[in-house]
Amino acid sequence: MAVWCLLAVIEIPMAPHSAAQSRSLDYHWSVPDHLHDLPGLATLGKNPYRKARASVLASALIAHGTEQPVVSYSRRRDWYVNRFENTAFSHRTVVNAVDEAVSAGLLGHLKAKPGDHLTTGLQSVFWAEDALVDALGDVTLEYERGSPIRLRDAEGNPMAFRETERVARMRREMDGINAYMSQISVGISDEADPSDWDVGRHRIRARKVKDGRETWATVCPTPGNDVYRVYGRGRFDKGGRIYGWWQSLPKIRRSELLIDGEVTFEPDFEFIHPKLLYALRGAVLVGDPYVTGVFPRAHGKLALNVALNAWSLPLAINALLFRNIESPGAWPHTRSYTERLVNAVVARNAPIAADIGADRGIDLMNIDSGIAVRVLKACEKAGIEALPIHDSFRVRASHEGQVTAIMQQVLDVTLVAISPSRSKGSFKMVPHMRLPPSPEARDASLPKGSVVSSPPVVAPAAEPVVAPSPEGRGSTPSSLETLSPEVLCGPGAGVTAPFPEGEESLLSGGTGSPSSEPSFRPVLPVRLLSGPVLSGPSSTPRPFLRPLSRHPLPSTVPPCRPSSRSCSTRSERWPKPPPRPLPWPLPR
């Protein structure tokens, strides 16, 4: 009987001991200072220890009463190395805070054995006892904003990084976006079913029912709707997506959110990752990439998205089969069916076959995160409130059409920018091609009262050559003609380009690094030549346009070789034209 009673006592906390039923320890939330005077807690102690203890108690309170009622943490000293830079979290502060709260009867605790995280996947956990819940009452938790730029290693653990100039620019960019997000008021519609929502003082729970299975998502709305970017694998060119508290809500519950009291819609990018891959291969996606003609579209969509994030096709097949182990009934299909499905998806998307099962997902996330940043900037400039959700945006119903147009415009520019068949011509300064001085600099260097006259240089009359489309033929896409042009300074002044210098790179998803050369990407592949400017009240520098000669292009672009993971080089597809002399000597 004694043994049975002991098993009954320890069986209660053993159920939530798995990682799937536990929340991670969060240092952003903390209890107010006056709660440090609870019975059993030391009133003394250094400030970092008191902050860590406040976060431990707040994490237990947030998890209480949810589907993840326990908080997991590590008691290994090595786990805290380089993880929580500039925070109060360390092995000493966290472990001592948990042990003290357990001794005071405020927390329940279950220790994992050393090495359990490797063999069984279990971690030490703690949870809020009734004494802590009763003592907190209706207090409001405090929120501490973290860094808007976060870096994780290949296993998803936080990493420390140096504060370089590039990181500082990305941080300033996110600070500006957060200032814009703080002006958005988010609420829940009065028409929402109360049984689908559980709004508490510290967190919100939202219900989702799929395939007859009910689940609840728990979120903690942050003050000011703060967002942050998460990069992966220790690199700032991997990942970089924007995260906010509303993204953890089920999509059906997000449809019941209000922005400034108005109902909302969620326009999204259609086939964004396949479209980006096709553009990177110099092709254009036609039709639905998920429709194979043999298998259901839903299966094709799942298979393609899983395969784009897998290291190989066999791993993609195993990942699909593993879904049925994690959640019985999620993928009730045989290995033979799954293999034929993946092969059909690869055959349907032959131009990007080398990218399927090649771990391209994290690179595509880096590109689509840059797209999301540009869309948010455009929405802020237009005075439109938008909540980013990776490849979609939750906006007011009255702004849906305008935001959809902004999204399509940014996507069109991105597809042209990353396509290898687009024009790459730009003005480049070389030592023997110096531009003439400006009128002000020239006049300042001459004696007072002197007059300089020089004949104007007339460019040969010819029409500028239109840049090839992503398909390798035709004219420039119409999306570039609808852009709001921005004038560049320096040698490119007077020529419009969609990518002003200093803004975020479309390829890296981060802020472009400074360069000694001007960022000049004209819509038409023209060479900019500055002729002499006549003095006078109405005289302004004018660019002269001269068409660039182009070698005859091949009629068709060679397709990707099935045995290779990359297309043929640019020199094979576009023969290099012979060198030619300058049309006329430029003035020094």
Side-chain angles (χ1 to χ4, degrees), residues 166 170 229 231 235-240 362-363 365-370 418 503-513:
R166 179 186 179 187
M170 293 191 298
R229 298 185 72 173
Y231 295 87
R235 299 169 58 98
F236 286 110
D237 59 350
K238 304 288 186 182
I362 194 168
D363 299 315
M365 292 178 190
N366 189 255
I367 301 178
D368 71 41
S369 66
I418 66 178
E503 287 200 6
E504 181 178 357
S505 169
L506 288 173
L507 300 180
S508 65
T511 306
S513 50

Side-chain angles (χ1 to χ4, degrees), residues 30-47:
S30 60
V31 298
D33 288 339
H34 71 272
L35 292 178
H36 289 283
D37 299 333
L38 292 176
L41 298 183
T43 57
L44 301 178
K46 295 183 179 180
N47 193 41

Side-chain angles (χ1 to χ4, degrees), residues 2 5 25 84 178 180 199 203 229 245 298 303 323 357 379 460 478-479 486 489 502-503 505 514 518 531 562 576-577:
C5 293
L25 183 58
F84 301 103
N178 277 325
Y180 151 69
V199 181
R203 79 298 182 270
R229 298 185 72 173
W245 64 267
R323 294 173 60 89
C379 289
S478 60
S479 60
E486 301 191 35
C489 58
E503 287 200 6
S505 169
K576 185 176 180 180

Side-chain angles (χ1 to χ4, degrees), residues 21 46 466:
Q21 295 178 303
K46 295 183 179 180
V466 179

Side-chain angles (χ1 to χ4, degrees), residues 3 22 77 129 164 169 173 284 322 352 430 453 535-536 541:
V3 176
S22 62
R77 188 178 302 273
E129 296 286 6
T164 61
R169 288 195 299 270
E173 181 179 60
V284 175
F322 188 73
I352 60 171
V430 294
S453 61
S535 60

Side-chain angles (χ1 to χ4, degrees), residues 281 310-313 353-360 560-567:
R281 290 292 181 179
W311 289 86
S312 65
L313 292 181
D355 300 306
I356 302 177
D359 190 33
R360 297 301 303 274
C560 299
R561 294 189 295 269
S563 60
S564 174
R565 287 193 175 271
S566 61
C567 289

